[in-house]
Amino acid sequence: MAKVVQKLVAAVPGLIKRTENAAMPRLQTFWRYARVEMTPPTPAEFPAVQKGFQDLAVAWRTQKWRQLTIKEGWLNTLIAAEIVFWFFLGEIIGRRHIVGYKV
């Protein structure tokens, strides 16, 4: 039994090194994209965001959504479904239960 434990303990540093070598490139790629995609908007970007919302309101009032192609409509539906999915997943994580709140 002691030999098995010694063998296991001796193998741990090699396992850690292999795991680190495999994970490091993926982590570097993740952080490269995360720095760009997950940063909050700067004050200089607020006018563009405001214009985007104004354009959306104008498109809704003029019923521009009726001019969508099937492909664009399907894509918008999938994006809305993804947003709803992530909202509900966040609710489940926040409650720590799938159904109801723990009282």
Side-chain angles (χ1 to χ4, degrees), residues 20-49:
E20 180 183 346
N21 290 340
M24 197 55 68
R26 292 182 181 138
L27 283 172
Q28 289 171 345
T29 302
F30 168 77
W31 283 117
R32 186 176 65 230
Y33 288 123
R35 282 189 195 103
V36 174
E37 297 294 331
M38 298 177 79
T39 57
T42 62
E45 295 171 332
F46 287 147
V49 172

Side-chain angles (χ1 to χ4, degrees), residues 49-67:
V49 172
Q50 184 178 9
K51 176 152 178 30
F53 279 118
Q54 288 172 347
D55 291 346
L56 188 62
V58 167
W60 182 258
R61 273 187 258 129
T62 60
Q63 296 182 351
K64 189 176 178 183
W65 53 272
R66 290 184 174 190
Q67 307 299 324

